[in-house]
Amino acid sequence: MRFFGAAVLLVTSLLFTEPALAQSRVALVIGNGAYEKVPELPNPTRDAADIGRALERLDFKVTLVKNATAQEMRKAVIDFGRSAEASDIAVVFYAGHGMEVGGENWLIPISAELRSDADIESEAVSLRSVSLQVSRARKLGLVILDACRNNPFAAKMKRSISTRAVPRGLAPTEPSDNVLIAYAARDGTTASDGEGRNSPFTASLLRHIETPGLEISFLFRRVRDDVMAATKREQQPFVYGSLSKEEIYLRAPAASAPAPVVSAPAPAAAPAPASPAEDEKFWLAIETSTAAGLYEDFLARYPRSSHVDEARRRMKKFKANEVAALASPAVPPKPDATGRQGSDGKGSDVKTVVRNLFAPEDSQKVAAIAAAQKLELPSFTISPDPNDPLNANSRFVGVWSNKRGWTNGKGRYAMLIITGVSATGLAKGYYLWGPPTKQSWAKDVAGYKVFAEYIENDKFSINGTPVTVKLDKNVLALSSFKKENPSETASIELRPVWQLVPAPEQAEPSTKREKVSQPRAAKKESAAEPSPPSNVTGTSMEERYRACRKLVKGFAQRDACARNGTI
């Protein structure tokens, strides 16, 4: 895997995309069902998860909160308000208990006890505060409340003022200019939790929310009709607020196909210039690199190339530089911008690993692998928001590869690029495959597929392909079957080239042959060589990487060594 060495190459292809645009659609989805002081509601967490996924498919950046305490709900609402300020459309969906006290509406966290109506302000979250946060969106603020269920808190709540009412359902509301508030049941009435996976209100909303060309007001009209029919007119959803004449769509109308244009036949085009030879493409990719290993591989692949003499000269020069770097005195590592490793100034190491940054060096490694394996590299961006909380599925985010192809090298190469995983477990990215081999089931050319799939139990399947992906001990195990003969299967193990949340130890890709020979090689090396120093020198990432190549086995360990300056 010498192509994993950091090298300055393919610079023009590494500016993957323009800077990411500000998120124009944001959503906060809350589902409270596991109440601590009253019976549990079965549907809200499922309602929230399903609505969150639907909004993600509508290009919303979704924050999902389940079974939240008062403190967690307040923090989520405040944080959401900051992102809503830079958005066109901001949506809050809440499923759980809600109640009216003294004419004001409140959303009830799972930790609420509410022994008295005076406790409501300290133990619950007001609808008014939620409405205020979504109103910061430029175009539309939308609050959807599936929170009108029969409320067990009201029956046992003491009244601090005898005239202070705690009626059924929620009170009517008057939102600001650009805000709509949708109730599952109109003011003063209650909603059904339902007997299926979702409440009747959420089930209808899921049925229509992704309909192309359905204007927002007509969306809730359809939901109203569905729910009234399903509940025999016992539950009537209601929307409060008014908007301007501008039409607003959660999914835009499908574009109509342009009419064919008849034109005179075009003159014969001049023959296309011949594409550069394979060795020329490879040379263009590495000619700015200072990594000796790249030129060594070039000579092995293309011994008759016109660039052989120059490659030998560069390889000799850069190898001499690597030897000189190893002979230099070690310099203690300094903490980097991410705070991954270094000194805190008091003699102790800083070992807090939060998240990796996808640096230019990582881009160069990915491009080098793609060039070596003849993969068609898509334009992609991995720029995680440092304010987004990491979750268990954040381990999937990264670029995953193997130095051998499917079925222990008999099949084509593969790479998986996972650019992000949402709070609801939606993984987005690209699956890449190389040119076919003699053993490949399909003979299509190299290409890639965009995917957006949900992770469940550390596993997901890429829709449209017979490929299943499972994360096990920081290895992405891909498995597939032959469509004509499902009993015939193939597999490949991918290791991280770069990972958002790096594992403490990442193993070098292994095969049966490597598993047998590795222990002997390790034993031989340990007897012949002294233990490596704890620090390496170099002012740049590339210099440290060249030094680490001689001292550390395994590309993941080399990468950590180069980043941290320590072994």
Side-chain angles (χ1 to χ4, degrees):
M1 299 296 279
R2 284 170 289 200
F3 285 94
F4 291 172
V8 182
L9 60 129
L10 291 178
V11 173
T12 55
S13 69
L14 295 174
L15 302 176
F16 288 120
T17 58
E18 309 97 287
L21 298 175
Q23 186 69 39
S24 62
R25 293 180 165 204
V26 294
L28 172 63
V29 179
I30 303 173
N32 285 346
Y35 284 92
E36 298 172 3
K37 304 299 180 181
V38 295
E40 181 175 346
L41 291 173
N43 279 344
T45 53
R46 297 195 293 257
D47 292 341
D50 294 345
I51 289 292
R53 293 182 174 188
L55 290 171
E56 280 182 329
R57 292 191 291 268
L58 293 168
D59 296 326
F60 280 82
K61 180 182 178 182
V62 176
T63 300
L64 178 64
V65 179
K66 292 183 179 180
N67 295 323
T69 63
Q71 183 179 359
E72 290 168 343
M73 282 184 66
R74 290 192 185 101
K75 184 179 186 303
V77 170
I78 292 171
D79 291 344
F80 177 72
R82 297 191 182 104
S83 59
E85 194 168 15
S87 69
D88 287 332
I89 300 178
V91 175
V92 171
F93 174 88
Y94 173 79
H97 280 307
M99 66 190 308
E100 173 197 351
V101 177
E104 186 164 359
N105 297 311
W106 301 86
L107 312 182
I108 313 300
I110 62 165
S111 57
E113 194 167 357
L114 298 178
R115 294 182 180 181
S116 167
D117 57 3
D119 298 335
I120 193 76
E121 293 189 16
S122 58
E123 294 188 18
V125 176
S126 71
L127 174 58
R128 176 172 42 83
S129 67
V130 176
S131 177
L132 184 63
Q133 298 293 357
V134 299
S135 69
R136 300 164 78 174
R138 291 186 289 262
K139 191 173 181 180
L140 172 67
L142 176 61
V143 181
I144 305 173
L145 299 179
D146 198 351
C148 310
R149 298 161 171 84
N150 278 317
N151 198 327
F153 290 99
K156 59 181 181 179
M157 183 183 291
K158 294 180 181 180
R159 310 293 189 269
S160 59
I161 303 174
S162 59
T163 57
R164 194 175 191 186
V166 185
R168 300 170 72 229
L170 299 175
T173 184
E174 295 181 4
S176 59
D177 293 343
N178 68 327
V179 175
L180 290 182
I181 299 181
Y183 287 3
R186 71 173 303 154
D187 54 276
T189 65
T190 57
S192 169
D193 192 46
E195 297 178 356
R197 173 179 174 81
N198 303 114
S199 73
F201 177 75
T202 296
S204 178
L205 188 60
L206 288 168
R207 190 176 305 123
H208 298 295
I209 196 171
E210 297 181 73
T211 303
L214 186 59
E215 206 275 335
I216 192 76
S217 58
F218 285 92
L219 163 65
F220 287 106
R221 291 184 190 183
R222 289 192 182 184
V223 171
R224 171 193 176 275
D225 291 348
D226 282 359
V227 173
M228 291 188 71
T231 61
K232 299 179 180 178
R233 304 187 69 84
E234 292 180 359
Q235 178 180 336
Q236 179 186 357
F238 207 85
V239 177
Y240 301 86
S242 61
L243 300 175
S244 69
K245 65 180 180 180
E246 181 182 359
E247 296 178 343
I248 298 176
Y249 301 96
L250 296 183
R251 171 160 285 174
S256 56
V261 178
V262 180
S263 59
S275 58
E278 190 174 332
D279 65 317
E280 288 293 334
K281 292 180 181 178
F282 198 99
W283 182 258
L284 288 173
I286 69 171
E287 63 178 345
T288 60
S289 173
T290 57
L294 293 175
Y295 298 102
E296 188 176 357
D297 281 327
F298 179 85
L299 291 170
R301 287 171 177 264
Y302 312 108
R304 298 183 180 180
S305 171
S306 60
H307 298 290
V308 164
D309 292 339
E310 177 66 11
R312 286 174 179 160
R313 185 186 67 80
R314 294 191 183 191
M315 182 181 68
K316 184 177 179 180
K317 173 185 175 182
F318 297 139
K319 276 191 174 182
N321 292 343
E322 290 178 6
V323 173
L326 288 173
S328 301
V331 177
K334 298 179 180 180
D336 61 15
T338 63
R340 280 191 291 264
Q341 179 84 25
S343 172
D344 60 3
K346 300 179 181 179
S348 60
D349 289 337
V350 178
K351 297 182 179 180
T352 54
V353 177
V354 179
R355 64 178 78 226
N356 248 331
L357 294 177
F358 191 67
E361 293 87 352
D362 301 307
S363 300
Q364 293 160 4
K365 287 191 293 184
V366 173
I369 297 167
Q373 299 181 353
K374 301 179 184 179
L375 300 173
E376 183 182 348
L377 190 65
S379 297
F380 70 92
T381 301
I382 303 180
S383 54
D385 184 347
N387 295 320
D388 281 350
L390 297 176
N391 56 61
N393 289 325
S394 297
R395 299 170 299 154
F396 281 82
V397 179
V399 181
W400 304 76
S401 182
N402 194 330
K403 62 184 178 183
R404 302 176 69 88
W406 279 85
T407 318
N408 200 21
K410 296 179 181 178
R412 62 179 84 203
Y413 288 109
M415 179 184 285
L416 204 65
I417 301 173
I418 302 179
T419 56
V421 178
S422 73
T424 62
L426 179 65
K428 296 183 179 181
Y430 303 85
Y431 170 61
L432 288 64
W433 60 88
T437 66
K438 291 182 179 180
Q439 303 295 327
S440 298
W441 293 337
K443 300 301 179 182
D444 54 328
V445 298
Y448 63 85
K449 175 181 175 60
V450 181
F451 68 84
E453 307 290 347
Y454 287 102
I455 299 170
E456 293 184 2
N457 299 322
D458 286 339
K459 184 178 179 180
F460 66 89
S461 297
I462 300 176
N463 188 33
T465 70
V467 175
T468 299
V469 181
K470 183 173 178 60
L471 180 61
D472 184 20
K473 297 180 181 178
N474 217 45
V475 173
L476 278 187
L478 274 59
S479 57
S480 182
F481 62 88
K482 198 171 185 179
K483 292 183 177 180
E484 303 82 48
N485 183 13
S487 62
E488 189 174 346
T489 61
S491 63
I492 185 173
E493 290 185 349
L494 305 182
R495 266 67 175 184
V497 180
W498 171 89
Q499 196 173 8
L500 174 63
V501 183
E505 295 181 4
Q506 295 172 338
E508 178 84 359
S510 60
T511 62
K512 291 182 179 179
R513 182 177 180 181
E514 289 174 328
K515 287 178 180 178
V516 173
S517 61
Q518 192 173 2
R520 292 183 180 179
K523 184 176 181 181
K524 184 178 180 180
E525 287 176 9
S526 63
E529 298 179 5
S531 59
S534 59
N535 300 309
V536 294
T537 186
T539 56
S540 69
M541 175 77 172
E542 187 173 356
E543 290 173 354
R544 293 195 299 273
Y545 188 88
R546 289 200 301 268
C548 292
R549 285 183 70 247
K550 297 294 184 180
L551 301 173
V552 183
K553 292 182 68 66
F555 71 86
Q557 288 85 346
R558 292 187 200 128
D559 183 61
C561 169
R563 288 182 180 278
N564 302 329
T566 59
I567 300 173

